[in-house]
Amino acid sequence: MQITVTVNDQPYTREVEPRLLLVHFLRDELGLTGTHWGCDTSNCGACVVQIDAVPVKSCTMLAVMADGHHVTTVEGLEKNGELDPVQKGFTECHGLQCGFCTPGMMLTARWLLDNNPDPDESEIREAISGQLCRCTGYENIVRSVRWAAEHTCTPEVSA
Amino acid sequence: MQVPARFEYEKATSVPHALALLERYGPDARVVAGGHSLIPMMKLRLAQPEALIDINDLRELAHLRVEGGELAVGALVRHAELLASPLVAEHFAILIDAERVIADPVVRNRGTVGGSLCQADPSEDLAAAFAALKADAVVTGPGGSRTVPLRGFHQGPYETVVEPGELLAELRVPVRHGAGSAYEKVERRVGDWPVAAAGALILIEDGLITEAGIGLTAVSAPGFTAPEAEDYLIGREPVDAVFAEAGRRAAAVCNPHADQRGPADYKRHLAGELTRRALRKAARRAAED
Ligand SMILES: Cc1cc2nc3c(=O)[nH]c(=O)nc-3n(C[C@H](O)[C@H](O)[C@H](O)COP(=O)(O)OP(=O)(O)OC[C@H]3O[C@@H](n4cnc5c(N)ncnc54)[C@H](O)[C@@H]3O)c2cc1C
Ligand code: FES
Ligand code: FES
């Protein structure tokens, strides 16, 4: 069936089988391989993307269910050539080693900060508790998200 | 790579449309809500529906409000919405306790209350929480709606009274002023299904318990509840010895099975102990009101 999904602000219309999972639509149909695919069982969170600004596990959603919705993947975090503060935080604080979990972690972190601009450590750990990292031991991920919170300039009202 | 078998897909635009689609596709059609139980089962080919009717656009099933002395929770309310609701926090601490420990925040963004109850997993947390609250389920079909006590909603593992062609529309829970409630769960790690869990509702008037509700999950308690332990509590003082005895009686109706989450004896022990703890916390909260 034909679907139109807006991914990182760009609409894509494709003919897909209803059984195609969103993660494979993004990776194989659109070539957006920043979204990773790990456990396939909704446990690891490597496949997390945002649907209408809310993180979901894209291995457990059909592409047809995203028809008419807005999807943000890691490729869409950067705006006007500027990395998102979350991306800068991961760079500054060594928030990744192999990078497999990183796109999902960053999309959940973005959502957390959108709703809670100054989260404490336990709130960050709770937000990412459905996502596994086998490298960092989470310490540096928490630091990276804190860095982003501290380095997000609130838009100033210009005179 | 896990891929579901082929199926037809339809997006319902209203409840009557969903019911018409269910009728058109017949008994091999399934409703999909959050998809966080059904899609994994389809990927493993444990479920092979011929058609999926997507109800995610049915905003009329996504309400959360108090009306006529009852909390009405639409079937399409997501776990995250129930957890964030000030209305729920004010009246039903048990639901907040339970939602905090169901899966993880990302799964909770997608999974729904109705999907959880219709999945009828024998370890479902919300089945125990709503059983403790003595909720009613409203089921809608071609012939109109019917109301079923939640304690009679589940017919066994993965089976409910919802017939092919019907939908779960909402849950209704009486608001009992002055009542306290709580949920206690033991899991192997954060976000896991329960090894065992218990929920409790308690109303205390003039120093005596006048109403009690107990919900149990993952321990094969018939109807996810323990009526004999509830009866025992009525007219007694809300003290620990009474809660401990109620816990013993609750554990006695359980028939847990050993699995990777633990041996049967341990689960039975937990059923009793968690019932006691939930009652104690519910009583403390009732007193605070
Ligand atoms: C990683 C992970 C961890 C989890 N951990 C827990 C946990 O700790 N505790 C717990 O209790 N649950 C847990 N769950 C399950 C989860 O909370 C939900 O129960 C699950 O998402 C089902 O809700 P859904 O909306 O996704 O249902 P779906 O998968 O869409 O549907 C499930 C079933 O219900 C039917 N259905 C859905 N809505 C309706 C309706 N309105 N009327 C009729 N039939 C309907 C479907 O046809 C299907 O048969 C976990 C899930 C995952 C993926
Ligand atoms: S691949 Fe989706 S949660 Fe692991
Ligand atoms: S950086 Fe390797 S899994 Fe997280």
Side-chain angles (χ1 to χ4, degrees):
Chain A
M1 66 181 278
Q2 200 183 65
I3 59 169
T4 300
V5 185
T6 303
V7 183
N8 304 328
D9 295 328
Q10 188 175 333
Y12 294 90
T13 301
R14 291 288 187 282
E15 192 65 37
V16 299
E17 265 195 287
R19 61 177 175 164
L20 181 68
L21 298 165
L22 180 59
V23 64
H24 301 311
F25 175 75
L26 294 169
R27 290 175 57 86
D28 304 341
E29 293 286 326
L30 306 187
L32 295 171
T33 52
T35 302
H36 292 163
W37 168 53
C39 67
D40 218 357
T41 60
S42 57
N43 283 289
C44 76
C47 64
V48 167
V49 299
Q50 291 185 358
I51 310 287
D52 303 328
V54 172
V56 303
K57 295 182 176 176
S58 64
C59 71
T60 310
M61 187 165 167
L62 302 168
V64 288
M65 295 173 90
D67 184 24
H69 292 271
H70 285 259
V71 176
T72 306
T73 68
V74 67
E75 290 90 344
L77 277 177
E78 177 189 327
K79 290 269 149 49
N80 309 318
E82 247 316 275
L83 291 181
D84 188 279
V86 167
Q87 292 172 301
K88 290 187 193 161
F90 274 72
T91 317
E92 291 296 324
C93 301
H94 197 167
L96 60 139
Q97 289 175 36
C98 78
F100 198 77
C101 69
T102 315
M105 290 289 182
M106 294 199 297
L107 287 158
T108 299
R110 182 70 267 147
W111 168 70
L112 172 68
L113 294 173
D114 286 344
N115 291 287
N116 177 3
D118 190 25
D120 63 24
E121 179 180 338
S122 70
E123 288 167 328
I124 297 169
R125 287 184 183 272
E126 158 74 12
I128 60 168
S129 61
Q131 289 161 254
L132 300 179
C133 177
R134 300 303 300 266
C135 302
T136 64
Y138 304 97
E139 277 303 320
N140 284 355
I141 295 179
V142 174
R143 276 190 209 124
S144 304
V145 180
R146 271 308 310 164
W147 189 98
E150 284 156 20
H151 292 79
T152 302
C153 24
T154 31
E156 280 174 36
V157 188
S158 51
Chain B
M1 178 161 122
Q2 298 176 5
V3 182
R6 285 204 173 76
F7 56 87
E8 309 257 353
Y9 171 87
E10 298 271 5
K11 203 170 264 201
T13 53
S14 67
V15 170
H17 184 221
L19 295 175
L21 289 168
L22 284 171
E23 186 170 336
R24 164 144 46 104
Y25 285 99
D28 290 326
R30 290 282 276 278
V31 162
V32 64
H36 272 52
S37 291
L38 185 53
I39 293 173
M41 286 178 67
M42 289 170 65
K43 286 163 78 173
L44 294 169
R45 312 263 170 136
L46 294 171
Q48 297 203 19
E50 283 178 8
L52 276 194
I53 315 299
D54 184 345
I55 61 168
N56 279 283
D57 285 350
L58 306 190
R59 296 314 298 165
E60 65 260 54
L61 295 183
H63 56 280
L64 192 51
R65 57 176 175 254
V66 170
E67 55 187 22
E70 289 180 320
L71 175 74
V73 184
L76 204 60
V77 168
R78 316 256 171 213
H79 291 300
E81 291 170 314
L82 198 66
L83 178 56
S85 160
L87 202 60
V88 173
E90 182 186 342
H91 298 294
F92 300 105
I94 181 174
L95 295 176
I96 305 291
D97 288 352
E99 283 294 0
R100 274 207 188 102
V101 291
I102 291 177
D104 60 68
V106 178
V107 169
R108 293 199 293 262
N109 283 338
R110 202 70 199 148
T112 65
V113 170
S116 297
L117 293 170
C118 291
Q119 179 66 19
D121 189 293
S123 301
E124 197 69 56
D125 284 297
L126 286 184
F130 281 108
L133 292 172
K134 300 174 190 169
D136 282 327
V138 180
V139 178
T140 300
S145 291
R146 60 197 174 99
T147 299
V148 186
L150 191 85
R151 292 170 172 206
F153 180 82
H154 296 102
Q155 303 271 285
Y158 312 105
E159 262 186 73
T160 72
V161 298
V162 180
E163 301 280 345
E166 289 186 321
L167 281 178
L168 173 63
E170 67 173 7
L171 292 148
R172 303 189 70 93
V173 193
V175 176
R176 302 165 181 87
H177 290 285
S181 63
Y183 193 75
E184 293 280 345
K185 165 170 167 175
V186 166
E187 70 271 67
R188 294 175 303 178
R189 57 181 158 77
V190 170
D192 195 16
W193 294 83
V195 179
L201 164 87
I202 204 162
L203 188 63
I204 302 163
E205 288 167 302
D206 300 325
L208 297 178
I209 300 167
T210 54
E211 190 176 349
I214 293 175
L216 292 155
T217 193
V219 286
S220 303
F224 291 92
T225 187
E228 214 244 322
E230 293 172 343
D231 291 345
Y232 164 80
L233 288 162
I234 303 301
R236 292 183 201 270
E237 283 183 45
V239 294
D240 205 45
V242 167
F243 297 152
E245 178 57 23
R248 268 190 292 278
R249 288 171 188 236
V253 303
C254 298
N255 187 22
H257 306 290
D259 61 12
Q260 78 277 18
R261 290 195 171 76
D265 286 349
Y266 173 54
K267 293 184 184 185
R268 194 190 311 281
H269 166 77
L270 280 180
E273 178 58 24
L274 296 178
T275 298
R276 190 183 83 163
R277 287 185 206 170
L279 284 165
R280 195 158 56 192
K281 193 183 271 185
R284 201 161 60 229
R285 286 174 171 166
E288 281 164 8
D289 265 353

